Amino acid sequence: MSLWESYKTSIFFCHQALNCDMDFAIISAQNPAGVTEHPYLNLRRDKELQAYLNQQRLPHRSVIGSAPDRSFEEKSWIVLCDKGNAIALARQFEQNAIYWVEQGELFLVPVLLSFGEEKLGRFTERVILLPD
């Protein structure tokens, strides 16, 4: 399965319930350009993204993007910003794509890849709430 196809199957693990009435992006800094990095490098990149979000005062919340069978998981951030800023931020952190949630609908949006944006269905159908 190609990376793009695997992105389309992602599920999301959250520690808090989300208000899906707001539009938001899901952005990672890990595994730039789809290349799996060492966990320490991924942790550093994640901290850099978190620091940037704090510096820019962009509201954000931690989320884990995952393959349905949990064979692959990637730390990400739900970011309240407009779609253009989300794409620019993902490009800055060398990401192939972002997820965009608009009016509760989930979209896969290419950033470094040459695919068309794809609607993936209701975001809430892909969210798993983790116990505290």
Side-chain angles (χ1 to χ4, degrees):
M1 178 183 310
S2 73
L3 276 176
W4 186 255
E5 292 300 314
S6 67
Y7 295 158
K8 292 194 285 187
T9 66
S10 291
I11 60 174
F12 303 93
F13 292 97
C14 301
H15 287 282
Q16 297 173 310
L18 300 170
N19 177 356
C20 291
D21 293 335
M22 297 186 298
D23 298 347
F24 57 87
I26 299 174
I27 306 170
S28 179
Q30 298 188 348
N31 304 312
V35 177
T36 303
E37 291 278 354
H38 188 280
Y40 292 116
L41 292 174
N42 276 333
L43 179 61
R44 188 192 73 195
R45 290 179 62 86
D46 182 65
K47 294 294 183 194
E48 288 171 2
L49 176 54
Q50 184 181 20
Y52 180 85
L53 297 172
N54 286 332
Q55 177 190 20
Q56 297 299 309
R57 293 182 166 32
L58 289 170
H60 57 281
R61 181 182 298 180
S62 178
V63 64
I64 298 169
S66 175
D69 65 1
R70 298 193 81 172
S71 60
F72 181 83
E73 295 183 350
E74 187 170 88
K75 174 78 181 328
S76 302
W77 295 94
I78 290 171
V79 182
L80 296 178
C81 65
D82 66 51
K83 191 175 182 182
N85 284 341
I87 291 169
L89 183 56
R91 188 170 282 114
Q92 178 181 336
F93 282 88
E94 304 173 85
Q95 295 300 298
N96 284 335
I98 63 166
Y99 295 96
W100 177 251
V101 177
E102 187 171 322
Q103 297 178 346
E105 293 292 326
L106 178 66
F107 297 86
L108 179 58
V109 180
V111 175
L112 299 181
L113 297 176
S114 298
F115 291 94
E117 181 175 308
E118 294 194 40
K119 185 176 178 180
L120 303 178
R122 300 293 299 167
F123 177 68
T124 54
E125 294 174 5
R126 295 183 182 239
V127 174
I128 297 171
L129 194 58
L130 296 172
D132 286 336

